[in-house]
Amino acid sequence: MREILENAKRLYSLKLHQSLPKYKRYIFEDLIKLPAKLTAIYGSRGVGKTTSLLQILEASSLNVSDKLYISCDHASLQGVSLFELVDEFRKRGGELICIDEVHEATNFEQELKSIYDFLDIKVYFSGSSAIALRSPDFARRYSMYHLNFLSFREYLELTLEIELPSYKLEDILQNHENIVHDIFMKLSDKKILKYYDAFVKIGIYPFYFEDKSRYIDRVNETINKILHIDISKIYAVQPDKIDTLKKLLSVLCVSKPLEFSMENLAKTVGITKATLYKYIEYLHKAKLITHITHEAKRFENIRKSDKLYLANSNLFEALCQNSEKGTIRETFFVSMLEDIYTLHYVDQGDFLVNERYTFEIGGKAKSFKLLKNIENSYVVADDIEVGFGNKIPLYLFGFLY
């Protein structure tokens, strides 16, 4: 085990010589201030989990010899006990370890549980969104943070090298005109829609800023890794079934959210309805699609079709050539809210958020006709810079985190 630890330290030393992005994602300050002994960072591939772990280590005042980064997908760690490796590191003065791709380790939940119970060391670990960390006995031992795709706010900060605040949903609803004014004061050219139009196509994954010319290629690579590595391994999906998952994504890419019933969608993809629901769950957990149910299903088993969206608007650029503008609008709205708030779709309007606010998504000419007599209802309009009253610019919902 000592040889394995020495090799891990050598690999970490090599990592230290690589330049890290200066930009910190929205959860970073919470992570470094956290007193928890065990902290999980989970999220889709490509959202910056590895970078966040390395930035945590960089920000630590500990000596280099007292902190360590390991990635469980490295060949040298295959079949190695996480507990024994961390214990060896602790015995030799280790105080902080960041464990990347933890779902690649054998029996990782039990190993982490033992580390928490028996070892005096601070641990951060990352895992795929597809991972199932749901054992109640284990879950009570760690703090969990989900790292979402870049928000529109973060994209603007990275693109323009400026600082912009995030806002709570209630702040946007009550004070959106003043918020827009404050944002415009930070934009030298005041052309917010230009940046929004770009963002819905490119830039939702941080690796966009590493090599812009290969961005869509890397999005496709990310999709394939999620399907062939994360979903295949975590849910034991056979390789010959991955093409079925790809076909499902392609169908969703060119369809309206309620164009197919579950029965028709299953027939189109060529699987049973039961298998379709299973695959939808896998893709939803892996952050490739978002699954939204009708608000009536909160109360009883009402027969209503579910709405299925690609997990973010950039996936349209990678998966299909022709897509509905209305679907892209709704996809952007959903992707910016669903990680923070509860969403259901409704018969009047498009979405019910936190069981209180009703939203209708559309273009700049969208009226309140469909929201007549609905309390706490709002029109969210594309192609407008400034809203008025209960009509709010769509891009502003990209400032929630």
Side-chain angles (χ1 to χ4, degrees), residues 378-394:
Y378 302 84
V379 165
V380 178
D382 196 4
D383 299 322
I384 65 170
E385 293 180 318
V386 183
F388 177 76
N390 283 23
K391 191 168 188 174
I392 304 172
L394 175 59

Side-chain angles (χ1 to χ4, degrees), residues 113-150:
K113 177 178 176 294
S114 296
I115 290 169
Y116 178 91
D117 289 342
F118 297 105
L119 304 182
D120 183 20
I121 189 169
K122 190 172 180 65
V123 178
Y124 290 89
F125 66 92
S126 80
S128 165
S129 284
I131 209 167
L133 295 171
R134 305 199 184 279
S135 166
D137 189 42
F138 175 60
R140 67 182 176 83
R141 289 171 165 78
Y142 70 96
S143 297
M144 185 165 66
Y145 283 79
H146 182 247
L147 187 58
N148 204 7
F149 308 110
L150 280 181

Side-chain angles (χ1 to χ4, degrees), residues 257-262 277 290-299 302-309 330 333-334 341-355 357-361 374:
L258 284 175
E259 187 171 335
F260 291 97
S261 66
M262 286 299 174
Y277 272 109
T290 304
H291 179 200
I292 297 182
T293 59
H294 192 277
E295 61 95 16
K297 286 190 173 182
R298 295 177 296 158
F299 307 111
I302 294 177
R303 292 179 62 85
K304 285 278 189 180
S305 293
D306 298 339
K307 272 191 172 185
L308 300 175
Y309 294 92
E330 292 183 25
F333 181 84
V334 169
Y341 304 99
T342 61
L343 273 78
H344 297 88
Y345 81 90
V346 286
D347 294 328
Q348 280 188 276
D350 287 314
F351 300 104
L352 179 68
V353 176
N354 275 12
E355 302 183 6
Y357 305 110
T358 301
F359 295 94
E360 174 78 9
I361 319 296
I374 298 179

Side-chain angles (χ1 to χ4, degrees), residues 244-368:
T244 303
L245 292 172
K246 289 182 178 178
K247 185 176 181 180
L248 176 55
L249 289 173
S250 297
V251 170
L252 295 179
C253 191
V254 297
S255 307
K256 295 179 181 179
L258 284 175
E259 187 171 335
F260 291 97
S261 66
M262 286 299 174
E263 290 82 359
N264 290 335
L265 184 57
K267 289 178 183 177
T268 301
V269 178
I271 52 180
T272 66
K273 188 176 175 182
T275 300
L276 174 64
Y277 272 109
K278 185 167 62 175
Y279 285 179
I280 287 171
E281 180 184 5
Y282 297 166
L283 292 170
H284 176 75
K285 287 182 177 179
K287 296 293 284 185
L288 284 176
I289 70 171
T290 304
H291 179 200
I292 297 182
T293 59
H294 192 277
E295 61 95 16
K297 286 190 173 182
R298 295 177 296 158
F299 307 111
E300 55 185 303
N301 190 22
I302 294 177
R303 292 179 62 85
K304 285 278 189 180
S305 293
D306 298 339
K307 272 191 172 185
L308 300 175
Y309 294 92
L310 294 182
N312 67 71
S313 59
N314 287 188
L315 294 177
F316 288 95
E317 296 294 307
L319 292 169
C320 61
Q321 297 297 315
N322 300 307
S323 50
E324 291 277 341
K325 188 169 185 178
T327 302
I328 294 175
R329 288 169 179 156
E330 292 183 25
T331 299
F332 169 80
F333 181 84
V334 169
S335 69
M336 295 293 105
L337 273 80
E338 66 93 19
D339 194 47
I340 313 171
Y341 304 99
T342 61
L343 273 78
H344 297 88
Y345 81 90
V346 286
D347 294 328
Q348 280 188 276
D350 287 314
F351 300 104
L352 179 68
V353 176
N354 275 12
E355 302 183 6
R356 180 179 181 185
Y357 305 110
T358 301
F359 295 94
E360 174 78 9
I361 319 296
K364 61 182 178 182
K366 175 63 69 174
S367 72
F368 286 84

Side-chain angles (χ1 to χ4, degrees), residues 55-90:
Q55 288 173 333
I56 288 168
L57 288 166
E58 183 182 59
S60 168
S61 60
L62 292 171
N63 294 325
V64 172
S65 59
D66 298 333
K67 51 190 179 181
L68 182 64
Y69 166 88
I70 62 171
S71 182
C72 294
D73 63 352
H74 195 275
S76 65
L77 295 181
Q78 298 305 300
V80 173
S81 164
L82 270 184
F83 177 83
E84 291 181 14
L85 177 59
V86 175
D87 186 35
E88 185 73 17
F89 177 54
R90 180 199 60 82

Side-chain angles (χ1 to χ4, degrees), residues 80-107:
V80 173
S81 164
L82 270 184
F83 177 83
E84 291 181 14
L85 177 59
V86 175
D87 186 35
E88 185 73 17
F89 177 54
R90 180 199 60 82
K91 286 188 294 188
R92 300 183 183 282
E95 296 184 44
L96 170 64
I97 185 167
C98 288
I99 305 172
D100 210 358
E101 305 283 357
V102 74
H103 55 280
E104 294 285 346
T106 303
N107 198 22

